[in-house]
Amino acid sequence: MPGYGEDPEWSDIVPLPQDDGGPNPLAAIAYSDEYSEAMSYLRAVMAKNEFSERVLRLTEDIIDMNPAHYTVWLYRAKALFTLHKDLRKEFDWLNPFALRHLKNYQIWHHRHTIIEALASDLDEKSPKIDNMIREEQDFLDRMFTKDAKNYHVWSYRQWLVERFNLWDCEEEREAVDDLLRKDVRNNSAWNHRYYVVFGRPNAPKNTTEGHVLMQREINYAEAAIRIAPQNQSPWNYIRGILSHFQQPLSNIKSLASEFASLEKPDEVKSSHALDLLAEIYKEERQLDCAGKAWDLLAQKYDPIRSRYWMWKKEQLGTAAA
Amino acid sequence: MSPSGVQALGPGALGESKLNKQKHINYWKRCLKTYLPTAYTSTDSNRMLLAFFVVSALDLLGALLEHTKPEEREGYIDWIYRCQHPEGGFRGFPGTDFGDERNAENKMWDPANVPATYMALSALLILGDDLSRVKRRECLQWLRKLQRDTGSFGETLGENDNIEGGTDSRFGYCAAVVRWILRGAAKGEVEGVPDIDVDKLAECVSSAQTYDGGISESPYHEAHGGFTYCAINILAFIRRLPPHITDIGPGADRGPPGLGDLDSAVRWLVSRQTEILTEEDEPDIDDEDARDEAGSEPPKEEVRDLRGFGIFPEDNQALTRLELLWAGFNGRPNKIADTCYCFWELGALCALHRQHLTDTEACRRYLLDKTQHMVGGFGKVPGDPPDIYHSYLGLAALALLKDPSMKPIVPSACFSQDAARFLESLPWRKEITAGGDSLPQGFQYDLPSKIDERPKEGASDSNYMAMSGG
């Protein structure tokens, strides 16, 4: 492909080279000739606010080399809107790009802009919205095959849930279940489940109905704990649930005791269960037992955090005094 | 007994973990004085960030003055000022500057950038510039326009001053440092510009604490080490940490504290320390069988090989103790350790005065033995080549751990205490703060006697003391 300088399509543009400001620039990068040239054409067309087909191609070129460029994405979006492009076609370019650049934030902001624009042209009840959402969910699932803990993708997924009211959407729950079946330690998936259940506009309250849901979620986490007791995610999930319903930790004493017991100090199967047990003892004012549990954590089951466990034990003394 | 059981191994079992200081200085000198490799093109828009890292790394190593001439430093300062935006703040890189062709219609493509402004001001201070050429009033006015009604900050202003960029705590953090540099802890108007909405900012941080105790991008998102560092240090700068975290240094302002659950935040942060250093270390459990049993019936056989997650068979204890000699930090539960999170998690704990609850020696050894690279710098994980981002945060983490070959650091600002002292010594700044204390909540400078006691590492100490004015 010829450079912009030799391309007759660009012959009317006078490129605007970068002024790097004096003899001692900081963090000067050995730019390739292609990048320097493309950027000098980008500055030239941006300065004129040109919105055209060639500008769209130029932004793709720049974004490919420097995807973190914070105004080229906004410029591209404005060009798409100004030219009344078919926005659904944007995904033909964006999707493969997203699959290649996993760590980029701007891609997801751009996607958000495009989806929002597409949705605003449709009736909320239109089946086209459902199709669009399904396609989004399918694409996110593809992204998760590359990295099931990708922060940007999960953030985007949460936006999608809220924007399109997917709180009771079967696909949403199923996607998370599927990821947890593949990796029960996927904390992002656990967090998403928590979001869908407890982050919704009418989050479950401290009612009989709410408590049915509380038990359902505790059971779900319990099943995961049985697969891998030393997995902190479901233990944290249960703590979160109890805190949401303002329930004492002692609600799950029998579960914690199954995986850690002071009577069998050599057979502890989960340091998280042992920590929980310590806090339950503290709740029950059995301070000696709490101290013993933290001793075990410090000496045997979680020695990296021995100073933390010993500090917790010291706090007990302060609390007792 | 040492928590990692070092003594159990006996003397001489391991070489002494040491910072190859000269190698690091060489690495950063290369970054300063020669072109960065073409691969950095993908971070071109964040050049001010790279610039800050390069200048600040040499400063933390006590090598900036020794290895740069005054005229070079003047040149670097001029370059930073060239990135100053005509309407306040700094650009992320020169690439958006239209020069003489800038006009009212195209200026939206050339905005000032919030993180770049924090980095530019910090780098100027480190280089010994008194910020006299900074458009202070414009910068403070601009900063206010970046705050949303929810309290969060954006990254840039777009068309019609629309706030662009994410809503996460990174931008709020950068805004809080800029505010601190330019206004200290002054109340009311400075340069005729009212303060940002501090209450809303605290509220925004508080609302992003998650069910597991960490802090996320926004409510109900997953807690993350980087966002937790930014959020907690926002609270340190705006003095909204719980007042009882420390009995030293300047106390909290009145107003709602921005950290609802301190205990669970500390728990989340110390839980980030891990001996899982590579993907191969991850527990190898075969979920296939367990998966089928995961329904209503509890599976019979529950524990597999979980040694990597802290459970070790009795007969294997010595080996495991050895593994525990190296423990880094991860950014989220069930992720592997990564150099940069040693800074983010410890930096958050430092603000809470709780860093001593971690195994600091194991972290130090992780950095020095596992991710320090033989050519200088740090990689992300063991065996990775160094890059500027991880190389800087590796050094900054060692400074948090008070490594004797590093200068003391301000944990909340991520640059040296010398640079902060220099800022506080500037006449215009003294005027704004009216002699009042302007340090982040709970922060105290290391005592000078401590610095004197540090092992002699060449003549660099006297250099930086001279630069900061004593």
Side-chain angles (χ1 to χ4, degrees), chain B residues 6-16:
Chain B
V6 186
Q7 285 92 331
L9 290 163
L14 287 159
E16 190 196 351

Side-chain angles (χ1 to χ4, degrees), chain A residues 30-242:
Chain A
Y31 297 132
S32 67
D33 292 345
E34 291 77 17
Y35 179 71
S36 293
E37 187 184 49
M39 283 290 281
S40 67
Y41 277 83
L42 178 73
R43 271 184 297 275
V45 290
M46 269 181 159
K48 294 169 191 270
N49 268 308
E50 175 178 322
F51 302 109
S52 60
E53 291 293 333
R54 68 178 181 182
V55 153
L56 287 175
R57 288 197 302 278
L58 175 60
T59 58
E60 285 171 28
D61 200 14
I62 298 284
I63 287 170
D64 205 34
M65 292 184 274
N66 177 13
H69 190 310
Y70 43 81
T71 55
V72 76
W73 287 93
L74 302 173
Y75 181 55
R76 179 178 176 86
K78 179 141 175 145
L80 290 169
F81 295 137
T82 308
L83 297 171
H84 302 289
K85 298 290 290 182
D86 178 357
L87 295 179
R88 285 167 303 179
K89 296 244 164 66
E90 183 67 352
F91 299 114
D92 296 345
W93 167 72
L94 193 62
N95 287 4
F97 187 78
L99 287 161
R100 272 187 287 125
H101 294 268
L102 297 177
K103 294 287 180 194
N104 179 273
Y105 160 76
Q106 276 89 355
I107 292 169
W108 298 94
H109 180 72
H110 187 68
R111 193 172 191 100
H112 178 143
T113 306
I114 302 298
I115 289 287
E116 195 64 90
L118 282 169
S120 68
D121 282 345
L122 293 169
D123 184 76
E124 289 289 329
K125 299 219 163 52
S126 157
K128 283 185 178 167
I129 290 256
D130 291 339
N131 282 342
M132 187 172 80
I133 292 167
R134 190 117 341 114
E135 278 173 25
E136 284 305 278
Q137 289 172 324
D138 288 348
F139 180 66
L140 298 181
D141 292 342
R142 273 186 72 196
M143 285 300 298
F144 287 138
T145 61
K146 293 261 179 181
D147 175 6
K149 300 176 181 178
N150 189 312
Y151 204 92
H152 302 307
V153 183
W154 282 107
S155 283
Y156 180 80
R157 185 154 206 148
Q158 293 199 343
W159 169 76
L160 204 68
V161 169
E162 194 186 350
R163 172 64 182 81
F164 297 104
N165 198 20
L166 306 179
W167 306 103
D168 296 307
C169 172
E170 207 46 52
E171 282 81 0
E172 207 51 36
R173 182 91 59 77
E174 186 42 46
V176 173
D177 277 351
D178 188 47
L179 286 170
L180 286 176
R181 273 193 292 273
K182 286 185 183 124
D183 176 11
V184 74
R185 291 187 172 79
N186 185 338
N187 195 63
S188 310
W190 281 101
N191 188 78
H192 194 75
R193 184 174 173 103
Y194 191 90
Y195 172 62
V196 173
V197 179
F198 298 101
R200 58 175 59 212
N202 338 313
K205 300 210 172 56
N206 235 339
T207 58
T208 320
E209 207 180 316
H211 283 215
V212 171
L213 204 123
M214 172 173 84
Q215 203 48 54
R216 184 194 78 190
E217 290 307 298
I218 291 177
N219 291 348
Y220 185 86
E222 195 178 322
I225 286 169
R226 290 184 192 287
I227 296 170
Q230 188 54 14
N231 173 12
Q232 55 197 312
S233 296
W235 290 107
N236 284 341
Y237 191 76
I238 292 182
R239 279 173 183 264
I241 295 167
L242 292 177

Side-chain angles (χ1 to χ4, degrees), chain B residues 47-110:
Chain B
R47 260 181 73 184
M48 195 59 81
L49 173 77
L50 302 178
F52 164 76
F53 284 156
V54 174
V55 168
S56 188
L58 284 167
D59 176 44
L60 285 173
L61 287 161
L64 182 62
L65 297 190
E66 195 183 326
H67 293 280
T68 56
K69 297 188 201 73
E71 57 270 29
E72 284 175 314
R73 291 197 293 277
E74 277 310 311
Y76 304 143
I77 289 169
D78 287 345
W79 181 83
I80 296 171
Y81 276 118
R82 277 299 303 265
C83 291
Q84 184 166 214
H85 195 269
E87 293 172 22
F90 287 76
R91 298 180 175 96
F93 68 132
T96 59
D97 188 354
F98 301 129
D100 295 340
E101 300 203 26
R102 181 188 167 82
N103 60 40
E105 281 74 47
N106 65 27
K107 66 177 192 177
M108 64 179 152
W109 309 123
D110 174 36

